[in-house]
Amino acid sequence: MRDALVLVDQLAHPFSQAYVLTWAAWLRIIQRDAALAGQAINRALRFAEEQHYPYWIAMATAQEGWLLAQQGHATQAIARINEGLARMDAIGTRVTHAYARGLLGEVLVGIGRASDGARLVDQAIADVRQRHEGWCEAELLHLRGRVLLAAASGTRRSAESSLLLAIERAREQRAKAWELRAAVSLAQLWSNRGCCSEARDLLAPVCNWFTEGLDTADLQDARHLLDALG
């Protein structure tokens, strides 16, 4: 991504620059790096507005909603993500629409609206499958599992099934980042149930696969959980 940012500055081609700036922000969101995501989102949104690109403004608006949620401003976050989704609908784009809805579902869970969050994530998964936008399906399945864990206790089995399916999808795509994130959530669930050996056997291989990015939030979470598992 750093190489891409340098290249678009050299090309001085505004649409390409907007493209790269927006996806640089998505990358930071996926990495759960709120500080760097904030910088990237602000730059992407400012540039898109200067160039009057509704397509990129829509995405950056939804991204800003995610950032507001990380900062503890849930009400503003919900409004901003909804605004971004509405902008996407207005110009007829569905790219990242499902992923943004999944993020909105996660925000709703955080303010006690687990059923609304679950409904949104289910809609996002259905949309991804209908439109074959498979790049984020594993993560949406992971989000669904987490949402169900935050809901009534009767959804624990469904949550576990969703996390297992998330891992399966990620493995099919060789998407190790998504696999790691889902494995952490499932290992934590199994650990809470007392199945520490199974949790360790699930998490250790995917965690040890990584040789870079060791300071990212997901790998730090995985290492801390493995340490706790013994």
Side-chain angles (χ1 to χ4, degrees):
M1 184 56 69
R2 286 193 294 268
D3 290 344
L5 289 167
V6 170
L7 178 59
V8 293
D9 283 340
Q10 295 171 348
L11 292 174
H13 183 256
F15 191 82
S16 296
Q17 191 165 2
Y19 183 107
V20 172
L21 289 174
T22 304
W23 280 96
W26 279 125
L27 177 62
R28 295 305 186 186
I29 290 171
I30 290 169
Q31 291 178 320
R32 294 164 54 203
D33 190 330
L36 291 179
Q39 297 173 22
I41 292 166
N42 289 336
R43 187 180 176 192
L45 182 57
R46 185 172 63 252
F47 187 84
E49 289 174 340
E50 289 171 355
Q51 298 295 325
H52 305 289
Y53 288 146
Y55 183 74
W56 303 117
I57 291 173
M59 286 194 193
T61 299
Q63 292 172 345
E64 197 170 52
W66 175 87
L67 183 62
L68 286 165
Q70 307 312 300
Q71 296 169 341
H73 307 299
T75 301
Q76 297 96 315
I78 292 168
R80 200 66 170 146
I81 296 175
N82 275 322
E83 180 185 346
L85 291 170
R87 286 176 177 270
M88 291 181 199
D89 290 336
I91 59 177
T93 182
R94 307 299 292 181
V95 177
T96 73
H97 193 285
Y99 186 61
R101 269 195 293 172
L103 297 179
L104 177 57
E106 191 174 25
V107 177
L108 291 173
V109 170
I111 60 171
R113 294 172 55 185
S115 59
D116 291 336
R119 176 179 52 80
L120 267 177
V121 175
D122 283 342
Q123 290 173 355
I125 292 170
D127 196 30
V128 157
R129 290 172 176 170
Q130 179 183 356
R131 299 177 184 278
H132 307 290
E133 194 179 0
W135 72 272
C136 61
E137 183 180 2
E139 175 61 0
L140 287 173
L141 287 165
H142 168 231
L143 282 176
R144 181 176 185 272
R146 290 185 56 191
V147 167
L148 291 173
L149 287 174
S153 58
T155 62
R156 288 290 190 272
R157 183 166 295 181
S158 295
E160 184 174 4
S161 297
S162 190
L163 292 173
L164 285 166
L165 186 55
I167 293 171
E168 179 183 335
R169 288 287 182 273
R171 288 174 176 171
E172 288 172 356
Q173 297 177 331
R174 299 182 182 179
K176 285 294 185 180
W178 293 148
E179 181 185 351
L180 176 70
R181 190 170 297 180
V184 169
S185 293
L186 184 57
Q188 185 65 67
L189 175 62
W190 286 353
S191 174
N192 293 341
R193 192 185 295 165
C195 303
C196 295
S197 177
E198 292 87 345
R200 186 170 53 250
D201 290 345
L202 169 74
L203 184 56
V206 63
C207 183
N208 293 334
W209 180 90
F210 288 87
T211 58
E212 59 182 6
L214 303 182
D215 59 341
T216 57
D218 288 335
L219 276 166
Q220 288 183 5
D221 287 349
R223 290 294 179 192
H224 290 156
L225 181 52
L226 284 172
D227 288 344
L229 291 169

